Amino acid sequence: MGDNTSAAQEKPAQQIAAGYATEGIALELGTVLVDGEVDPTAKVRIPFATLNRHGLVAGATGTGKTKTLQGLAEQLSNAGVPVLLADVKGDLSGLSRPGEDGPRIRSRAQDTGDDWTPTGFPVEFLSLGGSSSAVPIRATLTQFGPILLSKVLDLNDTQESTLGLIFHWADQQGLPLLDTKDLRAVIQHLTSDEGKAELKGIGGVSPATAGVILRALVNLEAQGGEDFFGEPEFEPADLIRQVDGKGVITLLELADQAANPKLFSTFLMWLLAELYEDLPEAGDLDKPKLVFFFDEAHLLFTDASKAFLSRIEQTVKLVRSKGVGVFFCTQLPTDVPNAVLSQLGARIQHALRAFTPEDQKALSKTVKTYPISKVYDLEEALTSLGTGEAIVTVLSERGAPTPVAWARMRAPRSLMAAIGEPAVTEAAKGSVLFPKYGQTVDRESAYEKLTAKMAEPAPPAAAEAPAPAPEPERRRAEKEEPGMIAEVLGSPVVKSFLRSAASSLGREITRGLFGTRRR
């Protein structure tokens, strides 16, 4: 763009800002730049009421994407909205501490019209499976379901179908699949002579396919999956909490799953599916119940089948009616399939690199996802953005896309550095969630039941069932120590057992959109 006077530069900035929210509760993203000049009064904002229309935060490494996520999480927490944020690289633990003032912070605050104040926020530190620092969280295989597990194991359609049959049989038999050794035991049983006979009429498990699944399971265990699958099972409702009126920010770290990032991304999809199954319909809300930042999103979509992508599309579409907003975070918008991308109302795009022909194609495709701008050459702008700057368009209060804004993003108010593993460990050990999830439990499940079945002798002649206890004696026993009974029934392990025991009462487990068990 050519040289203009200061007054001329202010006019397009104000015109752009006029399309954004000016009243009501909204996320402050930053301020508009035109011709390299920033106008602190030209605000770029996202109305809280539109956050369940989802969003995208994208950009190359080192462009300020992580700090944007940090700033969004802070403002949501301040508004009482809980946040789940995948902290893949461990960079976001500083959210729990007030930030440090300095010349760069003051300069950014002046540019963005921000009354910057150092602030810490309530943070929970969670990790998949066996981390020694954060609170470990787990899921049972029965709950995770065959569809998501097939994605983690990288199975083809035929192998996924076979795994679905294995889960179906275990559900019917009341055999809880809690961890990987349970699934191994069931597969080995179903490929034995006795197991083959039990599958007559509903199909079979070929030794070749069983071998592929078993080898994939061994690889998963070697990459830390053995620590993740098991009990106590994480309850997604624990994500929706407040402390002193602020929404709790849950940081989920990759930790010991670094060798298997696909498990990490698929686990996030499991959490999202669980929230959809568990939460009641919410309708239109002034602000969401939870905002879910889905980092490293490309791992979820890479090599995914059409059926799997269709389920993701449907879940993202439906979960907004439960009051949950989802932001996919990745390097390129082209990492996200068009059917999902079309549902993302807010776009925050940090700088793109265009060093190769493939990069050039991705850049051209990205430009086409934005409204036409009369102010910016978007192809040039996307490769010229400075650190902490982004091309933005969001949904207005009327549900229409706002004008494209080149925005200088606000600085986070919390510490923009990691607090260190000892501090994370101390915070995790003091968490209200640590007593609930801190210790692994290995109760009787499919492995133990099938092992016992193989070891038991031939059954003797049927004996007469013992007579039930007299009614007065039974009532007296029920009255004893009611506090202990309530405590036992309230245990997450017992609740998990009662859920999985439903199938043994003659009713097969009901499974949802992703094959996860419905509660």
Side-chain angles (χ1 to χ4, degrees):
M1 300 180 68
D3 294 330
N4 295 313
T5 65
S6 177
Q9 289 171 348
E10 287 177 2
K11 187 176 180 181
Q14 292 295 335
Q15 288 175 343
I16 291 169
Y20 288 79
T22 55
E23 297 180 358
I25 183 171
L27 282 172
E28 301 275 354
L29 295 181
T31 48
V32 178
L33 283 90
V34 176
D35 286 340
E37 296 292 328
V38 64
D39 183 345
T41 65
K43 301 287 189 179
V44 180
R45 311 170 84 219
I46 307 178
F48 269 75
T50 67
L51 287 174
N52 69 337
R53 297 305 177 111
H54 312 319
L56 173 75
V57 179
T61 301
T63 58
K65 184 175 59 177
T66 300
K67 301 314 172 194
T68 292
L69 297 179
Q70 187 170 347
L72 295 177
E74 291 175 354
Q75 293 185 63
L76 288 164
S77 177
N78 254 342
V81 178
V83 175
L84 173 69
L85 197 55
D87 189 12
V88 176
K89 300 172 185 174
D91 295 335
L92 291 166
S93 57
L95 275 159
S96 62
R97 302 275 179 87
E100 297 176 351
D101 198 356
R104 295 176 67 182
I105 289 288
R106 288 194 293 272
S107 174
R108 181 58 64 110
Q110 183 177 356
D111 285 348
T112 56
D114 178 21
D115 57 342
W116 189 91
T117 306
T119 311
F121 298 86
V123 174
E124 286 284 1
F125 297 98
L126 306 183
S127 72
L128 266 64
S131 170
S132 58
S133 55
V135 177
I137 60 173
R138 306 170 184 84
T140 66
L141 284 170
T142 288
Q143 178 60 22
F144 206 70
I147 297 172
L148 292 174
L149 183 59
S150 294
K151 173 67 174 173
V152 173
L153 297 179
D154 202 20
L155 303 182
N156 63 29
D157 290 346
T158 300
Q159 294 153 1
E160 179 180 335
S161 175
T162 299
L163 188 63
L165 175 64
I166 292 166
F167 270 73
H168 172 74
W169 180 84
D171 291 350
Q172 283 187 323
Q173 301 301 313
L175 293 173
L177 302 176
L178 305 184
D179 51 32
T180 53
K181 73 176 186 300
D182 289 324
L183 183 55
R184 279 204 315 272
V186 169
I187 293 172
Q188 289 163 353
H189 174 74
L190 291 179
T191 52
S192 68
D193 291 339
E194 181 182 354
K196 289 176 183 177
E198 293 179 25
L199 283 178
K200 274 188 176 179
I202 61 170
V205 178
S206 77
T209 302
V212 170
I213 298 173
L214 287 171
R215 286 192 294 275
L217 270 178
V218 170
N219 290 334
L220 177 62
E221 290 170 340
Q223 295 167 355
E226 189 173 23
D227 294 324
F228 167 62
F229 287 110
E231 288 186 319
E233 186 174 84
F234 185 69
E235 297 181 19
D238 285 328
L239 298 173
I240 305 177
R241 296 165 42 229
Q242 291 183 341
V243 173
D244 298 329
K246 289 185 176 181
V248 171
I249 300 172
T250 300
L251 295 183
L252 182 62
E253 66 174 12
L254 193 56
D256 298 335
Q257 307 303 325
N260 192 352
K262 189 176 288 188
L263 172 60
F264 188 77
S265 63
T266 309
F267 172 75
L268 291 176
M269 194 67 235
W270 173 76
L271 275 180
L272 191 61
E274 286 291 280
L275 287 165
Y276 168 69
E277 297 288 355
D278 286 1
L279 293 175
E281 292 289 327
D284 294 326
L285 301 173
D286 292 336
K287 56 186 178 182
K289 293 181 180 179
L290 173 76
V291 174
F292 194 108
F293 289 95
F294 208 125
D295 205 1
E296 300 294 334
H298 66 281
L299 296 171
L300 186 69
F301 301 115
T302 301
D303 299 326
S305 67
K306 288 184 179 179
F308 189 81
L309 291 176
S310 175
R311 288 183 177 95
I312 294 174
E313 178 188 352
Q314 193 172 357
T315 302
V316 172
K317 185 182 297 181
L318 295 174
V319 79
R320 70 186 183 205
S321 69
K322 305 298 183 83
V324 176
V326 183
F327 276 71
F328 289 95
C329 310
T330 187
Q331 292 205 4
L332 296 168
T334 50
D335 294 334
V336 181
N338 287 335
V340 176
L341 194 63
S342 64
Q343 298 185 52
L344 309 184
R347 310 281 179 87
I348 303 171
Q349 176 67 61
H350 289 272
L352 289 176
R353 310 302 183 209
F355 300 139
T356 68
E358 289 76 15
D359 292 342
Q360 289 286 353
K361 288 180 182 178
L363 176 61
S364 298
K365 288 182 179 179
T366 300
V367 169
K368 292 175 182 177
T369 67
Y370 279 87
I372 295 173
S373 173
K374 298 179 180 179
V375 179
Y376 306 111
D377 177 339
L378 286 181
E379 195 159 316
E380 180 182 347
L382 286 167
T383 56
S384 305
L385 291 164
T387 302
E389 296 175 358
I391 294 296
V392 177
T393 182
V394 305
L395 290 181
S396 68
E397 296 98 324
R398 298 183 295 106
T402 59
V404 173
W406 182 330
R408 180 159 291 169
M409 308 297 284
R410 289 194 354 165
R413 299 186 175 194
S414 55
L415 185 67
M416 289 190 282
I419 63 175
E421 188 171 321
V424 171
T425 301
E426 182 181 357
K429 293 292 174 65
S431 165
V432 296
L433 298 182
F434 191 81
K436 187 174 183 179
Y437 299 116
Q439 296 297 322
T440 306
V441 176
D442 188 12
R443 64 178 173 87
E444 184 184 57
S445 50
Y447 172 80
E448 288 81 9
K449 289 184 176 183
L450 289 172
T451 301
K453 183 178 179 181
M454 291 174 61
E456 68 184 11
E464 187 176 341
E471 188 69 13
E473 182 179 336
R474 182 180 62 80
R475 288 179 179 171
R476 185 169 61 253
E478 288 176 350
K479 290 179 181 179
E480 290 178 358
E481 300 193 66
M484 182 180 294
I485 293 172
E487 182 179 346
V488 170
L489 290 177
S491 161
V493 178
V494 173
K495 287 195 284 186
S496 181
F497 166 76
L498 292 175
R499 288 196 300 268
S500 61
S503 60
S504 64
L505 298 177
R507 182 168 60 88
E508 186 182 350
I509 290 172
T510 302
R511 295 195 174 273
L513 191 64
F514 268 96
T516 59
R517 184 189 62 219
R518 284 182 174 167
R519 299 181 189 275

